[in-house]
């Protein structure tokens, strides 16, 4: 995933970015663009759309850079903005075309390294992910793929830490059932 | 999956690097609340200064000032949660919000009921209708400055659930206003309390919700330009 930057380094860069340092922004982009794009792609199930929303997220992030509180972790803040960009885009799309159906035949384009430890068969895993309900899949991916703590997942989704853990656990359970049954809509 | 960092797109680079003026980060929610604390205290104390306090002798501190302090504390909690709504990735769980709001309403009703049982008071001149209308009006007026100020602070951040943030700001303002006004209004008759006092809190919550709605429509329109 992009260039590795520790949470502390990212927090330092964010403060520099708030102070008007363009190089700091470029370093932040290099560190979080890929995870953000993959996250958005997993939400939209469309790589090109994920790419567009990633750019929109960076614009929103720039407009709202004053809302980053120095000392707090950067990634949950950036992912929180990305999630909102996705929800706004989905709402606008729903207004434009009320009966648009999601492309269930496409497999979600997500990096599954984190989950591969739990489920070694990557192809099966990709197929099975489609069958996991959206809220559970999101909690599962945020924790197992992007490495957020359940507390951070809870803060991003507006749910308690326990609920985040439960959603992720049920997501893993759903994955297991889906893979054991070998069933996939895709 | 490939994990190569994509190049920064030209348009994005131009848009962002062309506007690199320094910004002042928002202070944390509790600090922002501390900034408005003098105003909150002023708004709450003013009615106590200009009106005669109700007789609290037979109720004791347990039914008078202690519930006021607890209510103000809960109100501040709700206002902090409203302010946190504006910080991406730092939301409070919906369940906790529900519990806080429920606790605030329950405490307000319970304290008034206990006060009524301990020291029943009659409706003032003009009957029940006149007194609840007057309390409803005064309480809403006391709460409005707090609501407006907190709503303004929330709107300067990035609230993803502006209606919820507005509702919380309104409810917090209403709970604080009721805590202050209860020490003046001598009438704890349940009908009066529900209509005039709880109604005042509710209407402030609804006003906050509507402010949030207006803000979301305005901000959507501004971003789609």
């Amino acid at each position: 995933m992009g260039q590795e930057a520790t949470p502390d380094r990212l927090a330092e860069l964010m403060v520099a970015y708030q102070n008007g340092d363009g190089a700091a922004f470029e370093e932040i982009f290099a560190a979080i663009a890929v995870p953000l794009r993959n996250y958005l792609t997993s939400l939209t199930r469309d790589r090109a759309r994920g790419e567009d929303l990633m750019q929109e997220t960076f614009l929103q992030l720039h407009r709202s850079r004053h809302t980053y509180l120095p000392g707090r972790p950067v990634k949950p803040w950036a992912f929180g903005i990305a999630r909102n960009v996705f929800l706004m885009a989905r709402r606008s799309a729903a207004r434009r075309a009320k009966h648009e159906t999601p492309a269930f035949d496409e497999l979600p384009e997500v990096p599954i390294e984190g989950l591969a430890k739990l489920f070694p068969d990557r192809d099966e895993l990709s197929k099975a992910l489609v069958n996991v309900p959206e809220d559970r899949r999101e909690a599962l991916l945020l924790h197992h793929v992007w490495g957020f703590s359940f507390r951070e997942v809870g803060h991003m989704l507006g749910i308690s830490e326990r609920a985040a853990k439960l959603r992720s656990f049920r997501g893993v359970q759903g994955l297991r059932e889906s893979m054991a049954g070998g069933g996939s809509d895709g | 999956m490939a994990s190569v960092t994509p190049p920064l797109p030209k348009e994005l680079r131009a848009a962002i690097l062309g506007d690199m003026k320094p910004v002042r980060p928002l202070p944390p929610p509790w600090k922002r609340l501390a900034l408005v604390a003098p105003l909150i205290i002023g708004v709450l104390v003013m009615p106590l200064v200009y009106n005669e306090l109700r007789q609290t002798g037979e109720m004791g501190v347990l039914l008078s000032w202690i519930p006021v302090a607890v209510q103000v504390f809960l109100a501040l909690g709700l206002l902090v949660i409203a302010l946190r709504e504006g910080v991406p990735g730092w939301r409070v769980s919906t369940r906790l919000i529900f519990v806080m709001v429920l606790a605030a309403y329950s405490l307000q009703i319970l304290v008034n009921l206990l006060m009524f049982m301990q020291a029943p008071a009659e409706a003032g001149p003009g009957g029940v209708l006149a007194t609840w209308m007057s309390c409803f009006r005064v309480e809403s007026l006391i709460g409005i400055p707090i609501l407006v100020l907190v709503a303004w602070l929330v709107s300067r951040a990035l609230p993803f659930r502006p209606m919820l943030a507005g509702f919380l700001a309104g409810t917090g303002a209403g709970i604080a206003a009721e805590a202050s006004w209860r020490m003046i209004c001598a009438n704890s008759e349940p009908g009066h309390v529900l209509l005039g006092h709880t109604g005042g809190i509710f209407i402030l919550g609804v006003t906050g919700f509507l402010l949030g709605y207006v803000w979301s429509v305005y901000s959507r329109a501004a971003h789609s330009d």
Side-chain angles (χ1 to χ4, degrees), chain B residues 16-70:
Chain B
I16 291 179
L17 297 184
D19 168 38
M20 283 303 294
K21 59 179 181 296
V23 293
R24 217 169 116 195
L26 285 177
W30 62 268
K31 238 181 193 175
R32 279 188 286 158
L33 196 64
L35 288 177
V36 297
L39 187 93
I40 293 176
I41 293 167
V43 166
L44 295 181
V45 166
M46 214 142 60
L48 302 178
V49 171
Y50 284 102
N51 293 277
E52 195 181 333
L53 284 177
R54 70 183 294 178
Q55 295 300 315
T56 56
E58 50 188 312
M59 292 181 285
V61 186
L62 256 181
L63 271 184
S64 55
W65 293 106
I66 288 183
V68 168
V70 175

Side-chain angles (χ1 to χ4, degrees), chain A residues 8-47:
Chain A
D8 287 348
R9 175 68 185 145
L10 272 177
E12 276 171 28
L13 288 169
M14 197 58 216
V15 172
Y17 174 34
Q18 285 179 322
N19 288 328
D21 182 345
F25 167 75
E26 297 203 49
E27 217 175 308
I28 291 169
F29 180 88
I32 64 173
V34 170
L36 279 181
R37 187 195 60 200
N38 290 338
Y39 173 56
L40 289 161
T41 303
S42 77
L43 293 175
T44 56
R45 302 176 180 207
D46 178 335
R47 197 181 167 88

Side-chain angles (χ1 to χ4, degrees), chain B residues 19-185:
Chain B
D19 168 38
M20 283 303 294
K21 59 179 181 296
V23 293
R24 217 169 116 195
L26 285 177
W30 62 268
K31 238 181 193 175
R32 279 188 286 158
L33 196 64
L35 288 177
V36 297
L39 187 93
I40 293 176
I41 293 167
V43 166
L44 295 181
V45 166
M46 214 142 60
L48 302 178
V49 171
Y50 284 102
N51 293 277
E52 195 181 333
L53 284 177
R54 70 183 294 178
Q55 295 300 315
T56 56
E58 50 188 312
M59 292 181 285
V61 186
L62 256 181
L63 271 184
S64 55
W65 293 106
I66 288 183
V68 168
V70 175
Q71 245 177 293
V72 170
F73 187 74
L74 269 173
L76 293 177
L78 288 170
L79 297 178
V80 166
I81 294 175
L83 291 169
R84 257 181 78 160
E85 276 293 315
V87 182
W90 204 23
R91 288 176 179 180
V92 172
S93 79
T94 314
R95 184 179 293 177
L96 178 64
I97 291 173
F98 179 75
V99 169
M100 290 272 290
V101 171
L102 192 70
Y105 269 105
S106 306
L107 178 74
Q108 182 264 327
I109 292 170
L110 182 73
V111 169
N112 275 291
L113 275 178
L114 290 174
M115 283 173 95
F116 178 68
M117 286 160 69
Q118 188 75 19
E122 294 163 10
V128 172
L129 186 70
T131 54
W132 86 254
M133 277 294 275
S134 118
C135 280
F136 180 81
R137 207 172 39 233
V138 172
E139 199 180 292
S140 311
L141 285 175
I142 297 171
I144 276 178
I146 303 173
L147 164 62
V148 170
L149 195 63
V150 175
W152 177 73
L153 284 172
V154 172
S155 73
R156 282 168 48 86
L158 188 63
F160 292 156
R161 301 184 287 191
M163 276 93 92
L164 176 66
F167 172 75
L168 289 169
T171 306
I175 293 287
E178 205 274 339
S180 159
W181 187 245
R182 194 177 61 241
M183 297 310 291
I184 292 160
C185 172

Side-chain angles (χ1 to χ4, degrees), chain A residues 19-109:
Chain A
N19 288 328
D21 182 345
F25 167 75
E26 297 203 49
E27 217 175 308
I28 291 169
F29 180 88
I32 64 173
V34 170
L36 279 181
R37 187 195 60 200
N38 290 338
Y39 173 56
L40 289 161
T41 303
S42 77
L43 293 175
T44 56
R45 302 176 180 207
D46 178 335
R47 197 181 167 88
R49 190 86 190 103
E51 188 82 40
D52 286 349
L53 289 184
M54 187 262 291
Q55 293 196 32
E56 180 58 37
T57 297
F58 274 103
L59 281 176
Q60 179 67 62
L61 189 146
H62 180 69
R63 281 195 291 262
S64 315
R65 61 196 186 279
H66 68 287
T67 64
Y68 168 74
L69 307 183
R72 286 197 55 75
V74 175
K75 274 191 178 174
W77 173 78
F79 272 62
I81 292 176
R83 188 168 192 270
N84 191 51
V85 165
F86 161 71
L87 291 175
M88 296 291 281
R90 188 166 72 172
R91 217 173 291 165
S92 315
R95 268 199 300 272
R96 277 196 301 271
K98 274 192 176 174
H99 304 293
E100 190 182 349
T101 49
F104 276 103
D105 53 331
E106 284 179 30
L107 297 177
E109 287 267 0

Side-chain angles (χ1 to χ4, degrees), chain A residues 120-141:
Chain A
D121 189 336
R122 295 172 65 105
D123 287 345
E124 280 297 309
L125 173 58
S126 293
K127 285 178 193 162
L129 266 175
V130 180
N131 293 329
V132 178
E134 191 178 315
D135 56 340
R136 293 177 190 179
R137 186 174 61 235
E138 195 176 4
L140 166 84
L141 293 175

